[in-house]
Amino acid sequence: TYALSAGYRLIDTAAAYFNEAAVGAAIRKSGIPREELFITTKLWIQDQGYAHAKQAFEASMENLGLDYLDLYLIHQPLGDYYGSWRAMEELYKAGRIRAIGVCNFYPERLVDLCLNVEIPPMVNQVELHPFFQQTKALDTMREFSVQPEAWGPLAEGKHAIFTNETLSAIAQKYGKSVAQVVLRWNTQRGVVIIPKSVHKERIEENLNIWDFSLSEEDMAAISSLDLGHSEIIDHSAPETAKWLNGWKIHD
């Protein structure tokens, strides 16, 4: 509700977040015309496959109370996501979904999907922040015309990001917060950002990044912070696949 009143119009949720009904209630309470909102939700691993994906989509729509969805994403590159994709292509053609995409697809998975489906994914939502920049992955997305979208753009507060010396110096230079600098950095790379906060002041602050631009020098300084790997989750690890497949969101 804070976010909508502050001017946010993109809302990102997922079946696995267990908050679709609450999001739907907030949308109705806001009174904002539906066409002004961009609503995203996601299909969980347990519901992968053609028939299950169709059922899961309808369940999400009922929870959200919507007639159509702006973006539907496959939440993880696990399970029968090819079957799910066929279902999503049909829902897209029928006008039930305005755009379809994926989450957490590393370049090799993304390329394979793009080359073997009728409608390639339009979005890939992945972890993107100064400590895990995924520059080569972004190059691959551009090659296949897939829009990158960042989850965890503030590194989930890890790596002491808000007190980092390099980021703090740049923030002071522009009279902005570290969070604003980090979000601006990703937008200048052509990345859509979905920062998460529950604090009204930070929600408003995170939106206020359009009145300045980072110099090439500052962009380069931030690029030096890249660790080259995630310290939040490694989607290439067998342990991750086991853990995610074991996560059930319904009976």
Side-chain angles (χ1 to χ4, degrees):
T1 304
Y2 281 151
L4 290 171
S5 62
Y8 286 76
R9 292 297 180 265
L10 187 157
I11 299 175
D12 182 87
T13 185
Y17 298 166
F18 301 106
N19 67 349
E20 288 175 323
V23 167
I27 291 169
R28 290 187 293 276
K29 183 179 178 181
S30 73
I32 297 170
R34 171 68 182 94
E35 60 271 16
E36 292 183 17
L37 298 172
F38 191 94
I39 313 299
T40 303
T41 195
K42 310 179 189 78
L43 175 73
W44 188 242
I45 304 163
Q46 186 180 0
D47 294 317
Q48 293 278 40
Y50 179 85
H52 290 306
K54 286 278 185 85
Q55 294 170 0
F57 171 77
E58 296 300 343
S60 287
M61 296 298 281
E62 184 176 346
N63 286 333
L64 290 163
L66 300 177
D67 296 322
Y68 70 90
L69 192 65
D70 296 285
L71 177 62
Y72 199 37
L73 302 174
I74 291 177
H75 206 153
Q76 302 288 347
L78 300 167
D80 180 18
Y81 56 81
Y82 275 93
S84 300
W85 193 258
R86 290 195 301 274
M88 290 164 62
E89 287 177 328
E90 290 183 6
L91 291 163
Y92 171 77
K93 290 177 182 178
R96 302 291 307 285
I97 310 171
R98 299 291 176 87
I100 52 178
V102 295
C103 298
N104 303 307
F105 272 58
Y106 281 1
E108 72 284 355
R109 295 271 178 132
L110 182 66
V111 170
D112 186 60
L113 184 65
C114 286
L115 294 176
N116 289 286
V117 294
E118 181 183 354
I119 303 172
M122 300 162 189
V123 173
N124 187 15
Q125 186 184 114
V126 295
E127 179 187 351
L128 293 167
H129 52 74
F131 305 108
F132 189 40
Q133 300 185 14
Q134 299 212 65
T135 304
K136 290 184 179 179
L138 289 179
D139 290 341
T140 299
M141 291 183 223
R142 292 188 190 99
E143 179 185 350
F144 286 87
S145 300
V146 179
Q147 173 63 49
E149 185 175 45
W151 67 257
L154 299 174
E156 295 187 343
K158 294 178 170 57
H159 308 285
I161 187 171
F162 299 117
T163 55
N164 178 274
E165 287 186 12
T166 298
L167 297 173
S168 296
I170 294 173
Q172 187 173 10
K173 173 181 173 181
Y174 292 95
K176 292 289 184 177
S177 69
V178 166
Q180 288 172 318
V181 165
V182 170
L183 295 175
R184 181 68 200 181
W185 165 79
N186 243 336
T187 62
Q188 287 186 209
R189 299 200 303 158
V191 175
V192 172
I193 49 173
I194 43 173
K196 178 182 178 182
S197 178
V198 295
H199 301 285
K200 185 174 184 291
E201 298 77 15
R202 291 177 189 166
I203 287 172
E204 293 172 350
E205 177 184 290
N206 290 343
L207 191 62
N208 186 23
I209 62 169
W210 307 107
D211 58 352
F212 75 109
S213 295
L214 298 172
S215 68
E216 289 185 17
E217 179 184 10
D218 293 327
M219 292 291 286
I222 295 173
S223 71
S224 70
L225 300 176
D226 192 13
L227 298 174
H229 64 271
S230 172
E231 293 195 348
I232 296 176
I233 183 170
D234 180 5
H235 281 91
S236 66
E239 294 78 14
T240 301
K242 291 177 185 176
W243 168 59
L244 291 174
N245 272 286
W247 184 5
K248 306 301 182 184
I249 65 172
H250 57 74
D251 294 334

